Amino acid sequence: MTDIRSEVEPLDPADPLARQEQTFPKLNDEMISIVRAFGQEEAPGSGELLFERGQRSVDFFVVLQGYIEILELDLAGVPHLLRLIGPGQFTGELYLLNERQTLVSARAGVATHVIRVRRADFHRLLSSEPDVAEILMRAFILRRVGQILHANVGVELAGPGHSGDTLRIEQFMRRNGYPYRLLDTESDTDAAAFLNCFDLSEDQLPVVVLPGKVVLRNPSNTELADGLGLIEALDPEKIYEVAVVGAGPAGLAAAVYAASEGLSTIVLERIAPGGQAGTSSKIENYLGFPTGISGQALASRAQIQAQKFGARLAIARTVTGLDCTAQPYRLEVDEREAVHARSIVVASGARYRRLELQNYDRFEGNCIHYAATAMEARLCGGQEVAVVGGGNSAGQAAMFLSKGARHVQIIIRGSGLAATMSDYLAQRIANSPKITVRPYSEITRLDGDRLLREVSWTDRRTGTVETHAIANLFVMIGAQPNTEWLGGCLALAARGFVRTGSDMEGRALSSPFVTSRPGIFAVGDVRSGSVKRVASGVGEGSVVVQAIHQYLNPSIA
Ligand SMILES: Cc1cc2nc3c(=O)[nH]c(=O)nc-3n(C[C@H](O)[C@H](O)[C@H](O)COP(=O)(O)OP(=O)(O)OC[C@H]3O[C@@H](n4cnc5c(N)ncnc54)[C@H](O)[C@@H]3O)c2cc1C
């Protein structure tokens, strides 16, 4: 039997597979005896499958003697040896924290003895043995990072690199930490052979190919999540103490604190953990990360943390309704399933209003901004920029940006700023030689490569199109709360955000996050009057748990 470690030995020290001692550590005798207390010893036959790719709820194994082969399946469904797990080493990866499908299979070697820890006992082990848990968790994370880096246990996404659907699918897998290989059919020389092999024509792209030649043609996010085994069954009989709707920073914080304080917790998220922050390439103002952290990295850490404490994270699940007439509350999921909970945290956030333009997705997050802080202003030094919108936020952004930018164009559909902006701001803008207001105008075109290079707008009165070399566009046309699923259960403020706390006249206030319904709380961007920032969302999600305790157990409040 060859040890494939020599074949895959990476040279890059940043690659987790290069950090063998942490990625594939050996438990010492003391730790093995701790694990033994949670499982039982077995001697599987040589070649016996311990678990198979695609299986859910698999057990955890520590090798005492012999070895376990970890196998990946290629697209044709043929197994290949990925790694050998030897004495003192253990199987497992992030799938041990949830009910999603495993990405690999495991087969016992010759004369092998193992400790098998069943799933429920494994969770007990994690929560009661922090020293062992730390080693296991670090290894699981590094293993997943290695899989993403090497894309050796994933699936193949094939499609034109510039297609919106290719980007959507790629973004879904990336944000959910699912390993994949991308074959850009616009530029990859292997594209023709690939299409031929899977009998596909270009008009059927993009496709996702799973092991065993299973082809998903331009799947929706839900179809994709289903195909990848990311969707977990919901138990309609179970009554959770807390159901969190939305896994942005606020929802994830609520889940970590609720689960760590022993409340049975489920989080329902329609796309992927991270919310709006998950789309930010670098958050520089979040406490404790002086060099910044990508929203996705922050979200995946929080997701793992929540799952470690026992929270259920159901992703690619959209809450489509709320029945607040009976207790426990009933959340309708994907219009056909139900989750019951005694308390609910509304953390469904908001989405900034976007412009319906070709190429918009490509530039969003790096060249299209929804806030004008010092960070964004730095990108615009000495350049021309455009701000879309005629409200106060657009006015403030234009004034602020004009300090460093060469020129600021304000694009508005109306005749002027008087009706939509505070007078003092409109006056300052009128007096600034560095700001030009473009009335009756709409952005009609965005051009560039990886980055935005040109912005065009059309004057609707004359039809005149102007194109300027602009690399940063600020879209300040308001945010829209994700509250459509609330179905009239909660009092909303004028622009549809959820009213809470002191905003709720006539209610005894136990917390600033109470809504108009007992046991339903709102945190983060969805809450009327909240500060729309990652740190404030995390703060609100963390402290709301105290109010939930008081609501669930009034006697100990
Ligand atoms: C590009 C970008 C960059 C940013 N950069 C920064 C920054 O550098 N610093 C900073 O402090 N802030 C930044 N922000 C703002 C920050 O991201 C938000 O304030 C923060 O994400 C709000 O967190 P939240 O959890 O309240 O809501 P969200 O992040 O909006 O998360 C809500 C979640 O709920 C889910 N959801 C919605 N409806 C449903 C439903 N019906 N069923 C299930 N799930 C649902 C959504 O899919 C989403 O994942 C940025 C925002 C953007 C868009």
Side-chain angles (χ1 to χ4, degrees):
M1 177 65 57
T2 46
D3 184 337
I4 64 154
R5 267 173 292 192
S6 54
E7 291 168 47
V8 296
E9 201 74 67
L11 299 173
D12 178 3
D15 184 332
L17 293 182
R19 293 155 64 184
Q20 297 285 324
E21 298 85 48
Q22 290 181 317
T23 313
F24 297 97
K26 278 190 178 175
L27 300 180
N28 61 28
D29 290 347
E30 191 189 340
M31 288 177 168
I32 289 177
S33 55
I34 290 174
V35 174
R36 190 177 273 116
F38 291 85
Q40 67 275 336
E41 285 191 32
E42 291 181 6
S46 171
E48 184 179 320
L49 273 175
L50 301 175
F51 55 84
E52 271 187 286
R53 182 185 166 119
Q55 221 175 308
R56 296 177 194 262
S57 301
V58 301
D59 296 334
F60 170 75
F61 296 90
V62 177
V63 177
L64 297 174
Q65 184 188 312
Y67 58 91
I68 292 176
E69 297 169 331
I70 301 298
L71 307 165
E72 63 167 335
L73 285 187
D74 66 18
L75 293 187
V78 178
H80 296 272
L81 180 62
L82 193 63
R83 183 157 291 274
L84 290 179
I85 301 291
Q89 295 182 311
F90 51 86
T91 60
E93 194 256 308
L94 294 179
Y95 56 73
L96 274 171
L97 304 178
N98 52 48
E99 297 298 315
R100 298 171 200 164
Q101 290 180 359
T102 63
L103 299 175
V104 293
S105 306
R107 192 164 61 190
V110 182
T112 295
H113 285 245
V114 297
I115 301 172
R116 177 195 286 264
V117 182
R118 302 213 178 266
R119 185 57 79 93
D121 299 321
F122 180 70
H123 284 297
R124 280 200 303 115
L125 166 68
L126 278 190
S127 56
S128 55
E129 297 294 341
D131 291 346
V132 178
E134 189 184 327
I135 292 173
L136 303 187
M137 293 297 293
R138 188 184 301 121
F140 294 168
I141 293 168
L142 287 170
R143 288 174 190 183
R144 176 57 68 99
V145 174
Q147 288 168 355
I148 291 171
L149 218 58
H150 294 270
N152 50 9
V153 294
V155 298
E156 186 120 1
L157 163 63
H162 288 91
S163 133
D165 280 320
T166 308
L167 287 170
R168 171 183 57 81
I169 292 172
E170 188 179 6
Q171 212 169 65
F172 181 85
M173 292 200 277
R174 196 169 48 79
R175 288 193 54 198
N176 278 301
Y178 198 95
Y180 66 93
R181 222 181 333 247
L182 173 67
L183 188 124
D184 183 343
T185 52
E186 279 171 348
S187 58
D188 204 306
T189 47
D190 292 337
F194 177 88
L195 294 183
N196 204 15
C197 172
F198 289 96
D199 203 13
L200 290 164
S201 57
E202 287 194 9
D203 59 333
Q204 292 169 321
L205 299 175
V207 294
V208 176
V209 184
L210 315 178
K213 290 196 174 183
V214 176
V215 179
L216 306 176
R217 290 184 189 166
N218 195 9
S220 67
N221 286 352
T222 310
E223 288 164 346
L224 180 60
D226 202 19
L228 299 178
L230 296 175
I231 291 199
E232 304 177 32
L234 298 174
D235 179 357
E237 303 303 321
K238 182 167 171 84
I239 297 170
Y240 288 93
E241 285 170 301
V242 190
V244 182
V245 181
L252 287 169
V256 167
Y257 278 81
S260 70
E261 292 179 23
L263 298 173
S264 61
T265 306
I266 185 165
V267 187
L268 296 147
E269 164 56 51
R270 78 174 160 202
I271 308 171
Q276 296 167 66
T279 66
S280 167
S281 56
K282 199 174 247 194
I283 297 168
E284 297 207 44
N285 55 359
Y286 189 63
L287 186 73
F289 294 92
T291 55
I293 180 166
S294 79
Q296 204 197 330
L298 189 67
S300 22
R301 288 171 195 207
Q303 173 184 213
I304 294 166
Q305 202 174 4
Q307 289 179 325
K308 186 189 91 172
F309 286 123
R312 277 287 305 279
L313 253 119
I315 55 141
R317 295 303 200 125
T318 302
V319 175
T320 42
L322 167 62
D323 180 355
C324 52
T325 55
Q327 265 286 12
Y329 292 121
R330 179 182 182 276
L331 290 164
E332 179 194 75
V333 181
D334 295 324
E335 291 176 349
R336 55 176 196 278
E337 288 181 85
V339 164
H340 293 96
R342 291 176 59 208
S343 71
I344 291 173
V345 178
V346 179
S348 47
R351 51 191 184 277
Y352 289 94
R353 288 208 172 87
R354 309 165 78 244
L355 298 172
E356 290 302 319
L357 284 170
Q358 213 180 354
N359 295 338
Y360 194 90
D361 288 352
R362 182 151 38 118
F363 304 125
E364 197 178 24
N366 56 357
C367 305
I368 297 177
H369 313 282
Y370 300 99
T373 66
M375 206 170 76
E376 286 85 14
R378 219 172 40 230
L379 304 172
C380 309
Q383 300 174 19
E384 185 172 357
V385 301
V387 176
V388 186
N392 277 356
S393 56
Q396 282 163 4
M399 284 306 301
F400 177 67
L401 292 167
S402 69
K403 289 183 202 159
R406 184 162 50 79
H407 201 83
V408 180
Q409 304 282 351
I410 299 185
I411 318 292
I412 50 167
R413 284 198 294 201
S415 59
L417 301 175
T420 49
M421 198 178 283
S422 297
D423 191 48
Y424 79 95
L425 263 181
Q427 284 303 327
R428 282 186 204 166
I429 285 168
N431 293 336
S432 170
K434 290 178 81 180
I435 304 179
T436 305
V437 180
R438 304 287 182 164
Y440 302 107
S441 295
E442 279 175 43
I443 304 273
T444 42
R445 202 180 153 99
L446 303 174
D447 282 300
D449 34 59
R450 205 173 51 80
L451 300 173
L452 180 63
R453 307 280 179 203
E454 285 182 351
V455 174
S456 306
W457 56 86
T458 304
D459 184 323
R460 291 295 175 206
R461 290 169 305 182
T462 59
T464 316
V465 179
E466 279 195 47
T467 300
H468 287 227
I470 286 178
N472 287 285
L473 176 66
F474 292 80
V475 179
M476 328 253 359
I477 51 176
Q480 213 174 313
N482 296 317
T483 47
E484 55 288 340
W485 59 277
L486 289 172
C489 279
L490 302 184
L492 303 179
R495 288 190 299 130
F497 290 84
V498 179
R499 293 179 63 192
T500 55
S502 54
D503 212 14
M504 300 303 315
E505 294 137 31
R507 281 208 51 203
L509 297 184
S510 54
S511 147
F513 310 114
V514 293
T515 66
S516 53
R517 289 263 165 197
I520 304 186
F521 304 85
V523 291
D525 276 20
V526 75
R527 194 175 71 76
S528 174
S530 67
V531 176
K532 310 306 191 232
R533 284 280 176 263
V534 174
S536 49
V538 168
E540 294 189 7
S542 314
V543 300
V544 74
V545 174
Q546 191 193 8
I548 295 173
H549 276 302
Q550 283 171 6
Y551 170 74
L552 294 175
N553 299 298
S555 56
I556 57 165

